[in-house]
Amino acid sequence: MDSPALVWFKRDLRVRDHAPLAAALGSGSVAALFVIEDEWLASPECDPQHLAFALQCLQELRVSLRAIGVPLLLRRGQLPDVLTQLQRDFPFRRLLSHEETGSGWTYARDLRVGRWCREAGVAWEEFPQTGVIRRLEGRNGWAARWEQRMRQPVIAAPRSLRGPQGLGEGDLPTLQELGLGSARPLPSAGETAGKDVLESFLDTRGRSYRSSISSPVTAWTGCSRLSAHLAFGTLSMRCIYQQTRARIAALRGSGDTHERRVAWHLEGFSARLHWHCHFMQKLEDEPAIEFRNFSRACDGLREEDFDQGRFEAWRNGMTGFPMVDACMRSLNATGWLNFRMRAMLVSFAAYHLWLHWREPGIHLARQFLDFEPGIHWSQMQMQSGTTGINTLRIYSPAKQAADHDPTGAFVRQWVPEYGTSAYPRPIVDEREAVKRAKERLYGLRKTDTARSEASAIQKKHGSRKSGLPQTGKPRRKRGAMGDARQTELFD
Ligand SMILES: Cc1cc2nc3c(=O)[nH]c(=O)nc-3n(C[C@H](O)[C@H](O)[C@H](O)COP(=O)(O)OP(=O)(O)OC[C@H]3O[C@@H](n4cnc5c(N)ncnc54)[C@H](O)[C@@H]3O)c2cc1C
């Protein structure tokens, strides 16, 4: 095929294992495009750190693409206006991109792009980039299909393509030029940094993964820290999965008991790669969960009671609950927090403070460098008790502190005024607040509407044969999975 092709990069900022780029091979001429979209900048979840990370990734991507002869065109504005303008200078006939399971605004934009392509006679070819399956009819067999995708050979970057001449690439803007404030300090971005993070995790940092992931202190280095790389696509899920499986096989094959133990730790990590796509699949199948309750029986439960003062205290780390405040301040400063502490923050907002999940979810989405809509909104609802199918889990901040910050070092680091009069008193009476939250939620779950909703949701979104425990299964004993109480949350 010799039709000119435009490869549209979104959250897939790499050249290795990039199906749309590989598909451009054989096209007459090939250009690449990244658009800093107005809707992205205007979306409530967008934070300067996301732009700063993407811009750093684009710097490396531009160099890698130039090396194979492809210009990376950087534009700002709205699709499809950008496509219309580009057509004038570069009459591409193919638009190649990855499928995206994103926020509502990306879905609406994709509909516009689809219309534009049909009218302009451009063939838009989309390729899957994770284990998420488009137009999925049911969850049976999902895990096997995931596995099959992940085992497909990694696609090498094309060695050489022919780029069109004379197209202005467009400079990478600064945050100031984009009208954004400054970003907090970032981890290294880009494809090379992603590879380094993966290697350091598989070689050394992940050796006691299961025992490190619960405490915010040990998780900082003991977790893979690959989430931002997955969110911006500097590494493909397939590469991570295959490299992990290869490492596990080598450790098992070594015959050494210690190494076998390390393989067991890495198995825990490998399972979580399924979860990534399992949760994204929920948003793919039901995009509305970004905005409304999974279980409609929960509508009206918290909406009217939203207390702005409590919300402000929560998001600024000023609730008077030291573990909650330490986690929030640490997240606000660094852009990352481990799973358990994310879950605790949300549980505290939902049950202790009785806040609806949407506003807290927006705040966290801005703080998480790894914001991934499918995981994020599913988890926000799960930890707030609005999925209708998951076990309600109310975290006690004091217990989390005792279990995961026993020396108090983490709290002292982030809440240095704790124990002085400068630190606020608890903003709610914990016992009262939790009692009331339980009464309301358990009461609701007993209603006929909630029960019939739950079985419909379980049917559509619950995991079957996915390797994840299902709702209603007996709790695993702590230690069996290293962080059993994390896994028991999942349906
Ligand atoms: C309220 C809430 C919101 C969250 N929002 C996001 C988000 O926006 N983006 C995001 O990537 N993760 C999110 N998570 C899941 C999880 O906390 C992060 O994936 C993890 O902390 C990222 O760090 P890591 O890469 O070092 O994780 P690791 O423990 O090293 O795990 C490796 C990878 O497995 C996947 N994974 C791990 N745990 C989970 C999980 N519970 N659910 C789904 N996938 C998982 C992620 O892709 C992660 O990068 C959220 C969790 C909660 C409770």
Side-chain angles (χ1 to χ4, degrees), residues 201 209 213 223-227 230 237 269 272-273 275-276 279 336-339 342-343 346 364 368 370-372 375-376 379-380 383 486 490:
F201 174 71
Y209 176 74
I213 58 182
C223 276
S224 72
R225 309 298 308 276
L226 283 165
S227 49
L230 279 165
M237 178 59 91
F269 166 74
R272 280 166 178 79
L273 300 177
W275 298 2
H276 174 103
F279 284 101
W336 186 84
L337 191 65
N338 60 324
F339 170 83
R342 291 186 196 203
V346 177
L364 293 179
F368 295 155
D370 59 30
F371 171 55
E372 179 62 68
I375 304 179
H376 189 69
Q379 282 286 354
M380 285 303 304
Q383 307 304 339
Q486 172 167 330
F490 297 94

mmCIF file of all heavy atoms in Angstrom, residues 201 209 213 223-227 230 237 269 272-273 275-276 279 336-339 342-343 346 364 368 370-372 375-376 379-380 383 486 490, ligand 1:
data_model
loop_
_atom_site.group_PDB
_atom_site.id
_atom_site.type_symbol
_atom_site.label_atom_id
_atom_site.label_comp_id
_atom_site.label_asym_id
_atom_site.label_seq_id
_atom_site.Cartn_x
_atom_site.Cartn_y
_atom_site.Cartn_z
ATOM 1 N N PHE A 201 13.486 -2.913 38.524
ATOM 2 C CA PHE A 201 12.485 -3.612 39.338
ATOM 3 C C PHE A 201 12.684 -5.127 39.234
ATOM 4 O O PHE A 201 12.752 -5.817 40.254
ATOM 5 C CB PHE A 201 11.076 -3.221 38.889
ATOM 6 C CG PHE A 201 10.005 -4.009 39.575
ATOM 7 C CD1 PHE A 201 9.723 -3.794 40.923
ATOM 8 C CD2 PHE A 201 9.291 -4.994 38.897
ATOM 9 C CE1 PHE A 201 8.747 -4.548 41.577
ATOM 10 C CE2 PHE A 201 8.319 -5.746 39.547
ATOM 11 C CZ PHE A 201 8.045 -5.521 40.887
ATOM 12 N N TYR A 209 8.768 -8.009 46.544
ATOM 13 C CA TYR A 209 7.602 -7.224 46.128
ATOM 14 C C TYR A 209 6.397 -7.388 47.050
ATOM 15 O O TYR A 209 5.868 -6.408 47.568
ATOM 16 C CB TYR A 209 7.227 -7.622 44.690
ATOM 17 C CG TYR A 209 5.988 -6.954 44.166
ATOM 18 C CD1 TYR A 209 6.002 -5.618 43.795
ATOM 19 C CD2 TYR A 209 4.788 -7.664 44.040
ATOM 20 C CE1 TYR A 209 4.860 -5.001 43.314
ATOM 21 C CE2 TYR A 209 3.645 -7.068 43.551
ATOM 22 C CZ TYR A 209 3.678 -5.732 43.189
ATOM 23 O OH TYR A 209 2.542 -5.131 42.716
ATOM 24 N N ILE A 213 4.676 -3.943 49.332
ATOM 25 C CA ILE A 213 3.706 -3.071 48.676
ATOM 26 C C ILE A 213 2.711 -2.383 49.599
ATOM 27 O O ILE A 213 2.089 -1.406 49.215
ATOM 28 C CB ILE A 213 2.923 -3.829 47.578
ATOM 29 C CG1 ILE A 213 2.206 -5.043 48.161
ATOM 30 C CG2 ILE A 213 3.845 -4.261 46.463
ATOM 31 C CD1 ILE A 213 1.459 -5.850 47.105
ATOM 32 N N CYS A 223 7.638 -1.281 45.043
ATOM 33 C CA CYS A 223 6.662 -1.432 43.947
ATOM 34 C C CYS A 223 7.397 -1.179 42.632
ATOM 35 O O CYS A 223 8.479 -0.593 42.616
ATOM 36 C CB CYS A 223 5.525 -0.433 44.113
ATOM 37 S SG CYS A 223 4.233 -1.000 45.232
ATOM 38 N N SER A 224 6.776 -1.568 41.550
ATOM 39 C CA SER A 224 7.498 -1.430 40.269
ATOM 40 C C SER A 224 7.669 0.027 39.857
ATOM 41 O O SER A 224 8.629 0.369 39.184
ATOM 42 C CB SER A 224 6.753 -2.172 39.161
ATOM 43 O OG SER A 224 5.569 -1.469 38.813
ATOM 44 N N ARG A 225 6.722 0.878 40.223
ATOM 45 C CA ARG A 225 6.703 2.292 39.811
ATOM 46 C C ARG A 225 6.570 2.417 38.287
ATOM 47 O O ARG A 225 7.069 3.375 37.686
ATOM 48 C CB ARG A 225 7.948 3.032 40.322
ATOM 49 C CG ARG A 225 8.223 2.851 41.801
ATOM 50 C CD ARG A 225 7.083 3.389 42.659
ATOM 51 N NE ARG A 225 6.731 4.749 42.310
ATOM 52 C CZ ARG A 225 7.355 5.830 42.767
ATOM 53 N NH1 ARG A 225 8.311 5.700 43.646
ATOM 54 N NH2 ARG A 225 6.990 7.027 42.379
ATOM 55 N N LEU A 226 5.894 1.443 37.697
ATOM 56 C CA LEU A 226 5.727 1.470 36.242
ATOM 57 C C LEU A 226 4.427 2.141 35.803
ATOM 58 O O LEU A 226 4.168 2.312 34.613
ATOM 59 C CB LEU A 226 5.751 0.035 35.696
ATOM 60 C CG LEU A 226 7.144 -0.587 35.621
ATOM 61 C CD1 LEU A 226 7.055 -2.099 35.438
ATOM 62 C CD2 LEU A 226 7.948 0.022 34.462
ATOM 63 N N SER A 227 3.586 2.526 36.770
ATOM 64 C CA SER A 227 2.242 2.966 36.394
ATOM 65 C C SER A 227 2.233 4.181 35.467
ATOM 66 O O SER A 227 1.449 4.234 34.521
ATOM 67 C CB SER A 227 1.401 3.234 37.637
ATOM 68 O OG SER A 227 2.103 4.054 38.543
ATOM 69 N N LEU A 230 3.042 3.060 32.036
ATOM 70 C CA LEU A 230 1.896 2.406 31.388
ATOM 71 C C LEU A 230 0.862 3.448 30.966
ATOM 72 O O LEU A 230 0.299 3.374 29.881
ATOM 73 C CB LEU A 230 1.250 1.399 32.346
ATOM 74 C CG LEU A 230 1.957 0.044 32.409
ATOM 75 C CD1 LEU A 230 1.505 -0.752 33.630
ATOM 76 C CD2 LEU A 230 1.694 -0.769 31.137
ATOM 77 N N MET A 237 2.254 -2.916 27.645
ATOM 78 C CA MET A 237 1.905 -3.938 28.636
ATOM 79 C C MET A 237 2.524 -5.275 28.224
ATOM 80 O O MET A 237 3.017 -6.035 29.048
ATOM 81 C CB MET A 237 0.376 -4.022 28.703
ATOM 82 C CG MET A 237 -0.163 -5.057 29.624
ATOM 83 S SD MET A 237 0.394 -4.813 31.319
ATOM 84 C CE MET A 237 -0.902 -3.799 31.978
ATOM 85 N N PHE A 269 3.346 -9.560 41.191
ATOM 86 C CA PHE A 269 3.385 -8.402 40.292
ATOM 87 C C PHE A 269 2.703 -8.749 38.959
ATOM 88 O O PHE A 269 1.867 -7.983 38.446
ATOM 89 C CB PHE A 269 4.849 -7.992 40.077
ATOM 90 C CG PHE A 269 5.048 -7.053 38.944
ATOM 91 C CD1 PHE A 269 4.672 -5.715 39.065
ATOM 92 C CD2 PHE A 269 5.603 -7.479 37.744
ATOM 93 C CE1 PHE A 269 4.844 -4.827 38.013
ATOM 94 C CE2 PHE A 269 5.784 -6.602 36.693
ATOM 95 C CZ PHE A 269 5.408 -5.273 36.829
ATOM 96 N N ARG A 272 -0.936 -8.531 38.889
ATOM 97 C CA ARG A 272 -1.480 -7.167 38.893
ATOM 98 C C ARG A 272 -1.548 -6.572 37.492
ATOM 99 O O ARG A 272 -2.315 -5.645 37.235
ATOM 100 C CB ARG A 272 -0.685 -6.281 39.835
ATOM 101 C CG ARG A 272 -1.120 -6.501 41.270
ATOM 102 C CD ARG A 272 -0.161 -5.927 42.269
ATOM 103 N NE ARG A 272 -0.659 -6.122 43.631
ATOM 104 C CZ ARG A 272 -0.561 -7.276 44.302
ATOM 105 N NH1 ARG A 272 0.004 -8.336 43.754
ATOM 106 N NH2 ARG A 272 -1.036 -7.362 45.530
ATOM 107 N N LEU A 273 -0.747 -7.097 36.590
ATOM 108 C CA LEU A 273 -0.824 -6.588 35.213
ATOM 109 C C LEU A 273 -2.180 -6.939 34.593
ATOM 110 O O LEU A 273 -2.715 -6.181 33.793
ATOM 111 C CB LEU A 273 0.340 -7.133 34.373
ATOM 112 C CG LEU A 273 1.740 -6.753 34.888
ATOM 113 C CD1 LEU A 273 2.825 -7.399 34.033
ATOM 114 C CD2 LEU A 273 1.938 -5.232 34.924
ATOM 115 N N TRP A 275 -4.894 -7.034 36.378
ATOM 116 C CA TRP A 275 -5.851 -6.134 37.028
ATOM 117 C C TRP A 275 -5.943 -4.805 36.279
ATOM 118 O O TRP A 275 -7.012 -4.207 36.170
ATOM 119 C CB TRP A 275 -5.438 -5.850 38.472
ATOM 120 C CG TRP A 275 -5.389 -7.058 39.353
ATOM 121 C CD1 TRP A 275 -5.631 -8.365 38.997
ATOM 122 C CD2 TRP A 275 -5.072 -7.075 40.741
ATOM 123 N NE1 TRP A 275 -5.476 -9.176 40.080
ATOM 124 C CE2 TRP A 275 -5.133 -8.426 41.158
ATOM 125 C CE3 TRP A 275 -4.734 -6.091 41.667
ATOM 126 C CZ2 TRP A 275 -4.874 -8.791 42.466
ATOM 127 C CZ3 TRP A 275 -4.480 -6.457 42.970
ATOM 128 C CH2 TRP A 275 -4.555 -7.792 43.363
ATOM 129 N N HIS A 276 -4.789 -4.337 35.828
ATOM 130 C CA HIS A 276 -4.748 -3.082 35.072
ATOM 131 C C HIS A 276 -5.851 -3.109 33.997
ATOM 132 O O HIS A 276 -6.697 -2.215 33.924
ATOM 133 C CB HIS A 276 -3.357 -2.951 34.433
ATOM 134 C CG HIS A 276 -3.189 -1.794 33.515
ATOM 135 N ND1 HIS A 276 -2.525 -0.654 33.875
ATOM 136 C CD2 HIS A 276 -3.592 -1.591 32.244
ATOM 137 C CE1 HIS A 276 -2.528 0.188 32.876
ATOM 138 N NE2 HIS A 276 -3.166 -0.356 31.872
ATOM 139 N N PHE A 279 -9.672 -3.657 35.140
ATOM 140 C CA PHE A 279 -10.408 -2.458 35.568
ATOM 141 C C PHE A 279 -10.685 -1.526 34.390
ATOM 142 O O PHE A 279 -11.755 -0.917 34.316
ATOM 143 C CB PHE A 279 -9.652 -1.735 36.691
ATOM 144 C CG PHE A 279 -9.810 -2.461 37.994
ATOM 145 C CD1 PHE A 279 -8.816 -3.275 38.495
ATOM 146 C CD2 PHE A 279 -10.995 -2.370 38.704
ATOM 147 C CE1 PHE A 279 -8.984 -3.988 39.675
ATOM 148 C CE2 PHE A 279 -11.183 -3.077 39.887
ATOM 149 C CZ PHE A 279 -10.177 -3.884 40.375
ATOM 150 N N TRP A 336 2.672 10.243 43.566
ATOM 151 C CA TRP A 336 2.507 8.778 43.626
ATOM 152 C C TRP A 336 2.213 8.326 45.045
ATOM 153 O O TRP A 336 2.696 8.934 46.024
ATOM 154 C CB TRP A 336 3.776 8.069 43.139
ATOM 155 C CG TRP A 336 3.594 6.570 43.038
ATOM 156 C CD1 TRP A 336 3.053 5.886 41.995
ATOM 157 C CD2 TRP A 336 3.925 5.575 44.023
ATOM 158 N NE1 TRP A 336 3.018 4.529 42.265
ATOM 159 C CE2 TRP A 336 3.551 4.312 43.509
ATOM 160 C CE3 TRP A 336 4.492 5.625 45.304
ATOM 161 C CZ2 TRP A 336 3.722 3.120 44.210
ATOM 162 C CZ3 TRP A 336 4.665 4.429 46.005
ATOM 163 C CH2 TRP A 336 4.298 3.194 45.458
ATOM 164 N N LEU A 337 1.428 7.271 45.174
ATOM 165 C CA LEU A 337 1.148 6.642 46.462
ATOM 166 C C LEU A 337 0.837 5.182 46.165
ATOM 167 O O LEU A 337 0.319 4.861 45.091
ATOM 168 C CB LEU A 337 -0.076 7.327 47.094
ATOM 169 C CG LEU A 337 -0.405 7.011 48.546
ATOM 170 C CD1 LEU A 337 0.696 7.516 49.495
ATOM 171 C CD2 LEU A 337 -1.740 7.668 48.954
ATOM 172 N N ASN A 338 1.148 4.309 47.135
ATOM 173 C CA ASN A 338 0.880 2.885 46.895
ATOM 174 C C ASN A 338 -0.613 2.583 46.985
ATOM 175 O O ASN A 338 -1.393 3.366 47.510
ATOM 176 C CB ASN A 338 1.674 2.004 47.869
ATOM 177 C CG ASN A 338 1.323 2.273 49.317
ATOM 178 O OD1 ASN A 338 1.063 3.410 49.683
ATOM 179 N ND2 ASN A 338 1.313 1.250 50.133
ATOM 180 N N PHE A 339 -0.972 1.403 46.480
ATOM 181 C CA PHE A 339 -2.393 1.045 46.384
ATOM 182 C C PHE A 339 -3.115 1.139 47.722
ATOM 183 O O PHE A 339 -4.177 1.756 47.832
ATOM 184 C CB PHE A 339 -2.543 -0.390 45.836
ATOM 185 C CG PHE A 339 -3.957 -0.872 45.942
ATOM 186 C CD1 PHE A 339 -4.885 -0.535 44.983
ATOM 187 C CD2 PHE A 339 -4.373 -1.608 47.045
ATOM 188 C CE1 PHE A 339 -6.210 -0.923 45.111
ATOM 189 C CE2 PHE A 339 -5.696 -2.004 47.177
ATOM 190 C CZ PHE A 339 -6.610 -1.666 46.203
ATOM 191 N N ARG A 342 -3.799 4.606 48.815
ATOM 192 C CA ARG A 342 -4.810 5.253 47.957
ATOM 193 C C ARG A 342 -6.198 4.800 48.418
ATOM 194 O O ARG A 342 -7.122 5.604 48.543
ATOM 195 C CB ARG A 342 -4.625 4.832 46.484
ATOM 196 C CG ARG A 342 -3.387 5.367 45.839
ATOM 197 C CD ARG A 342 -3.340 5.034 44.343
ATOM 198 N NE ARG A 342 -1.979 5.218 43.839
ATOM 199 C CZ ARG A 342 -1.662 5.442 42.584
ATOM 200 N NH1 ARG A 342 -2.592 5.524 41.678
ATOM 201 N NH2 ARG A 342 -0.404 5.591 42.223
ATOM 202 N N ALA A 343 -6.313 3.490 48.647
ATOM 203 C CA ALA A 343 -7.608 2.948 49.055
ATOM 204 C C ALA A 343 -8.032 3.546 50.402
ATOM 205 O O ALA A 343 -9.203 3.893 50.597
ATOM 206 C CB ALA A 343 -7.522 1.429 49.134
ATOM 207 N N VAL A 346 -9.421 7.075 50.009
ATOM 208 C CA VAL A 346 -10.766 7.121 49.435
ATOM 209 C C VAL A 346 -11.792 6.600 50.435
ATOM 210 O O VAL A 346 -12.874 7.182 50.601
ATOM 211 C CB VAL A 346 -10.818 6.319 48.114
ATOM 212 C CG1 VAL A 346 -12.230 6.299 47.548
ATOM 213 C CG2 VAL A 346 -9.851 6.927 47.106
ATOM 214 N N LEU A 364 -7.733 13.436 43.208
ATOM 215 C CA LEU A 364 -6.705 12.384 43.132
ATOM 216 C C LEU A 364 -6.197 12.206 41.700
ATOM 217 O O LEU A 364 -5.011 11.983 41.480
ATOM 218 C CB LEU A 364 -7.252 11.065 43.680
ATOM 219 C CG LEU A 364 -7.559 11.059 45.180
ATOM 220 C CD1 LEU A 364 -8.130 9.711 45.612
ATOM 221 C CD2 LEU A 364 -6.308 11.379 46.012
ATOM 222 N N PHE A 368 -2.336 12.027 40.849
ATOM 223 C CA PHE A 368 -1.674 10.816 40.348
ATOM 224 C C PHE A 368 -1.037 11.096 38.998
ATOM 225 O O PHE A 368 -1.745 11.346 38.020
ATOM 226 C CB PHE A 368 -2.687 9.672 40.154
ATOM 227 C CG PHE A 368 -3.337 9.149 41.408
ATOM 228 C CD1 PHE A 368 -4.577 8.524 41.350
ATOM 229 C CD2 PHE A 368 -2.712 9.244 42.643
ATOM 230 C CE1 PHE A 368 -5.187 8.024 42.494
ATOM 231 C CE2 PHE A 368 -3.314 8.741 43.798
ATOM 232 C CZ PHE A 368 -4.552 8.138 43.720
ATOM 233 N N ASP A 370 0.075 8.858 37.319
ATOM 234 C CA ASP A 370 -0.330 7.699 36.514
ATOM 235 C C ASP A 370 -1.826 7.669 36.216
ATOM 236 O O ASP A 370 -2.369 6.614 35.881
ATOM 237 C CB ASP A 370 0.080 6.401 37.221
ATOM 238 C CG ASP A 370 -0.543 6.244 38.619
ATOM 239 O OD1 ASP A 370 -1.648 6.746 38.852
ATOM 240 O OD2 ASP A 370 0.099 5.611 39.482
ATOM 241 N N PHE A 371 -2.508 8.819 36.322
ATOM 242 C CA PHE A 371 -3.970 8.803 36.155
ATOM 243 C C PHE A 371 -4.392 7.994 34.920
ATOM 244 O O PHE A 371 -4.019 8.305 33.794
ATOM 245 C CB PHE A 371 -4.517 10.234 36.050
ATOM 246 C CG PHE A 371 -5.971 10.281 35.653
ATOM 247 C CD1 PHE A 371 -6.915 9.590 36.384
ATOM 248 C CD2 PHE A 371 -6.383 10.996 34.536
ATOM 249 C CE1 PHE A 371 -8.261 9.604 36.017
ATOM 250 C CE2 PHE A 371 -7.722 11.027 34.155
ATOM 251 C CZ PHE A 371 -8.660 10.327 34.900
ATOM 252 N N GLU A 372 -5.162 6.968 35.179
ATOM 253 C CA GLU A 372 -5.638 6.080 34.113
ATOM 254 C C GLU A 372 -7.140 5.929 34.342
ATOM 255 O O GLU A 372 -7.572 5.242 35.281
ATOM 256 C CB GLU A 372 -4.926 4.719 34.232
ATOM 257 C CG GLU A 372 -5.323 3.674 33.203
ATOM 258 C CD GLU A 372 -4.992 4.107 31.788
ATOM 259 O OE1 GLU A 372 -3.805 4.208 31.452
ATOM 260 O OE2 GLU A 372 -5.940 4.367 31.020
ATOM 261 N N ILE A 375 -8.925 2.527 35.455
ATOM 262 C CA ILE A 375 -8.585 2.006 36.783
ATOM 263 C C ILE A 375 -9.133 2.969 37.832
ATOM 264 O O ILE A 375 -9.732 2.573 38.825
ATOM 265 C CB ILE A 375 -7.054 1.876 36.973
ATOM 266 C CG1 ILE A 375 -6.435 1.005 35.885
ATOM 267 C CG2 ILE A 375 -6.733 1.325 38.353
ATOM 268 C CD1 ILE A 375 -4.920 0.846 35.991
ATOM 269 N N HIS A 376 -8.913 4.233 37.569
ATOM 270 C CA HIS A 376 -9.205 5.241 38.577
ATOM 271 C C HIS A 376 -10.677 5.269 38.987
ATOM 272 O O HIS A 376 -11.008 5.166 40.167
ATOM 273 C CB HIS A 376 -8.773 6.601 38.045
ATOM 274 C CG HIS A 376 -8.839 7.674 39.085
ATOM 275 N ND1 HIS A 376 -7.986 7.704 40.143
ATOM 276 C CD2 HIS A 376 -9.668 8.730 39.232
ATOM 277 C CE1 HIS A 376 -8.274 8.740 40.905
ATOM 278 N NE2 HIS A 376 -9.291 9.384 40.374
ATOM 279 N N GLN A 379 -11.865 2.099 40.689
ATOM 280 C CA GLN A 379 -11.351 2.005 42.061
ATOM 281 C C GLN A 379 -12.023 3.031 42.978
ATOM 282 O O GLN A 379 -12.324 2.732 44.131
ATOM 283 C CB GLN A 379 -9.839 2.224 42.074
ATOM 284 C CG GLN A 379 -9.041 1.035 41.625
ATOM 285 C CD GLN A 379 -9.005 -0.077 42.666
ATOM 286 O OE1 GLN A 379 -9.486 0.087 43.780
ATOM 287 N NE2 GLN A 379 -8.465 -1.214 42.290
ATOM 288 N N MET A 380 -12.246 4.234 42.476
ATOM 289 C CA MET A 380 -12.919 5.251 43.300
ATOM 290 C C MET A 380 -14.275 4.722 43.774
ATOM 291 O O MET A 380 -14.647 4.864 44.934
ATOM 292 C CB MET A 380 -13.141 6.551 42.501
ATOM 293 C CG MET A 380 -11.934 7.424 42.279
ATOM 294 S SD MET A 380 -11.053 7.968 43.758
ATOM 295 C CE MET A 380 -12.299 8.792 44.742
ATOM 296 N N GLN A 383 -13.860 1.619 46.263
ATOM 297 C CA GLN A 383 -13.456 1.994 47.625
ATOM 298 C C GLN A 383 -14.509 2.866 48.314
ATOM 299 O O GLN A 383 -14.433 3.113 49.501
ATOM 300 C CB GLN A 383 -12.106 2.745 47.610
ATOM 301 C CG GLN A 383 -10.972 2.028 46.895
ATOM 302 C CD GLN A 383 -10.701 0.635 47.439
ATOM 303 O OE1 GLN A 383 -11.068 0.307 48.566
ATOM 304 N NE2 GLN A 383 -10.058 -0.206 46.637
ATOM 305 N N GLN A 486 -5.627 -6.509 50.154
ATOM 306 C CA GLN A 486 -5.789 -5.784 48.897
ATOM 307 C C GLN A 486 -6.594 -6.654 47.934
ATOM 308 O O GLN A 486 -7.548 -6.197 47.338
ATOM 309 C CB GLN A 486 -4.430 -5.472 48.273
ATOM 310 C CG GLN A 486 -4.554 -4.883 46.877
ATOM 311 C CD GLN A 486 -3.245 -4.293 46.394
ATOM 312 O OE1 GLN A 486 -2.441 -3.832 47.163
ATOM 313 N NE2 GLN A 486 -3.041 -4.316 45.109
ATOM 314 N N PHE A 490 -11.223 -7.302 45.483
ATOM 315 C CA PHE A 490 -11.587 -7.387 44.081
ATOM 316 C C PHE A 490 -12.650 -8.416 43.825
ATOM 317 O O PHE A 490 -12.706 -9.431 44.477
ATOM 318 C CB PHE A 490 -10.332 -7.686 43.254
ATOM 319 C CG PHE A 490 -9.352 -6.579 43.365
ATOM 320 C CD1 PHE A 490 -8.342 -6.625 44.300
ATOM 321 C CD2 PHE A 490 -9.501 -5.459 42.593
ATOM 322 C CE1 PHE A 490 -7.466 -5.583 44.437
ATOM 323 C CE2 PHE A 490 -8.629 -4.405 42.725
ATOM 324 C CZ PHE A 490 -7.615 -4.467 43.643
HETATM 325 C C1 LIG B 1 -8.648 4.999 44.456
HETATM 326 C C2 LIG B 1 -7.588 4.403 43.581
HETATM 327 C C3 LIG B 1 -7.273 5.006 42.377
HETATM 328 C C4 LIG B 1 -6.307 4.459 41.549
HETATM 329 N N1 LIG B 1 -6.015 5.113 40.378
HETATM 330 C C5 LIG B 1 -5.088 4.590 39.552
HETATM 331 C C6 LIG B 1 -4.752 5.262 38.345
HETATM 332 O O1 LIG B 1 -5.308 6.321 38.023
HETATM 333 N N2 LIG B 1 -3.786 4.720 37.558
HETATM 334 C C7 LIG B 1 -3.168 3.539 37.894
HETATM 335 O O2 LIG B 1 -2.294 3.087 37.142
HETATM 336 N N3 LIG B 1 -3.496 2.884 39.019
HETATM 337 C C8 LIG B 1 -4.411 3.365 39.867
HETATM 338 N N4 LIG B 1 -4.709 2.702 41.026
HETATM 339 C C9 LIG B 1 -4.168 1.339 41.250
HETATM 340 C C10 LIG B 1 -2.822 1.234 41.987
HETATM 341 O O3 LIG B 1 -2.868 1.944 43.185
HETATM 342 C C11 LIG B 1 -1.650 1.713 41.130
HETATM 343 O O4 LIG B 1 -1.677 1.046 39.883
HETATM 344 C C12 LIG B 1 -0.299 1.422 41.742
HETATM 345 O O5 LIG B 1 -0.224 1.969 43.031
HETATM 346 C C13 LIG B 1 0.782 2.011 40.839
HETATM 347 O O6 LIG B 1 2.069 1.816 41.352
HETATM 348 P P1 LIG B 1 3.055 0.731 40.717
HETATM 349 O O7 LIG B 1 3.101 0.818 39.243
HETATM 350 O O8 LIG B 1 4.339 0.824 41.444
HETATM 351 O O9 LIG B 1 2.270 -0.606 41.119
HETATM 352 P P2 LIG B 1 2.720 -2.121 41.186
HETATM 353 O O10 LIG B 1 2.278 -2.650 42.496
HETATM 354 O O11 LIG B 1 4.128 -2.299 40.836
HETATM 355 O O12 LIG B 1 1.784 -2.807 40.095
HETATM 356 C C14 LIG B 1 2.168 -2.924 38.735
HETATM 357 C C15 LIG B 1 1.055 -2.486 37.836
HETATM 358 O O13 LIG B 1 -0.085 -3.309 38.041
HETATM 359 C C16 LIG B 1 -1.270 -2.541 37.904
HETATM 360 N N5 LIG B 1 -1.973 -2.514 39.184
HETATM 361 C C17 LIG B 1 -1.457 -2.664 40.425
HETATM 362 N N6 LIG B 1 -2.426 -2.598 41.359
HETATM 363 C C18 LIG B 1 -3.564 -2.395 40.681
HETATM 364 C C19 LIG B 1 -4.918 -2.264 41.067
HETATM 365 N N7 LIG B 1 -5.289 -2.328 42.323
HETATM 366 N N8 LIG B 1 -5.832 -2.058 40.113
HETATM 367 C C20 LIG B 1 -5.497 -2.008 38.810
HETATM 368 N N9 LIG B 1 -4.227 -2.139 38.372
HETATM 369 C C21 LIG B 1 -3.286 -2.341 39.294
HETATM 370 C C22 LIG B 1 -0.829 -1.132 37.535
HETATM 371 O O14 LIG B 1 -0.818 -1.025 36.140
HETATM 372 C C23 LIG B 1 0.568 -1.073 38.095
HETATM 373 O O15 LIG B 1 1.378 -0.128 37.431
HETATM 374 C C24 LIG B 1 -5.659 3.245 41.906
HETATM 375 C C25 LIG B 1 -5.976 2.649 43.124
HETATM 376 C C26 LIG B 1 -6.932 3.217 43.949
HETATM 377 C C27 LIG B 1 -7.249 2.558 45.256
#
